[in-house]
Amino acid sequence: MKKIAHKSFFLLIPTRDRLEHLKNLLLDFSPFAPYISNCVIVDQSENFIGKDFEYVNYNFPITILKGDRNKGVNHSRNLALKHYNNEDWIFCLDDDLRVAKEELDKIPQALIDLNVDVLVF
C-alpha cells in the first residue's frame, strides 16, 4: 500500500437492520485503519445499533448517528457529511459490501492516478 502522510479517508456508511453485514465490512477495513480519520455510520434500523459498538475497537474512530427510518439513503449520507472534516477522500459504502485486503491495498494509488475525490463502492 502506498504510504499516505496523514489520515485522509472519510468512510460514510448508511445501514438499516444489517448489523452483521456492517460488522463484516468494518472488519474488512481494519487493515486500512491508519488511513481512516473517521467512519460515520447512519443507522436507520428499527433497533438502534449504537450500543453494539460501545466496546468494539476497529482501530479507527467510528461515529454512529441515528437516522430517520422514513427517509432514504441520500438523507443518511447528507447527515454523515456534516461530520466530514476536509479529508482527501470520501468513501460512500453499502453496509453489505465486502472488500478483500488485496483490493484495499490498490485503492490509494488508484485514487491518486485517477485524480478521484469521492468513491462510491
Side-chain angles (χ1 to χ4, degrees), residues 90-121:
I90 300 171
F91 287 3
C92 298
L93 304 162
D94 288 340
D95 59 1
D96 62 345
L97 179 71
R98 296 303 309 262
V99 183
K101 184 182 180 320
E102 298 77 33
E103 296 307 312
L104 282 176
D105 289 342
K106 297 175 190 175
I107 289 172
Q109 191 59 49
L111 292 173
I112 291 167
D113 291 347
L114 298 171
N115 195 25
V116 172
D117 293 321
V118 177
L119 182 62
V120 179
F121 283 81

Side-chain angles (χ1 to χ4, degrees), residues 15-19 21 43-47 69 95:
T15 191
R16 185 177 178 140
D17 300 316
R18 296 199 286 200
L19 180 59
H21 291 289
D43 179 31
Q44 295 177 296
S45 299
E46 226 172 291
N47 298 308
R69 191 165 174 85
D95 59 1

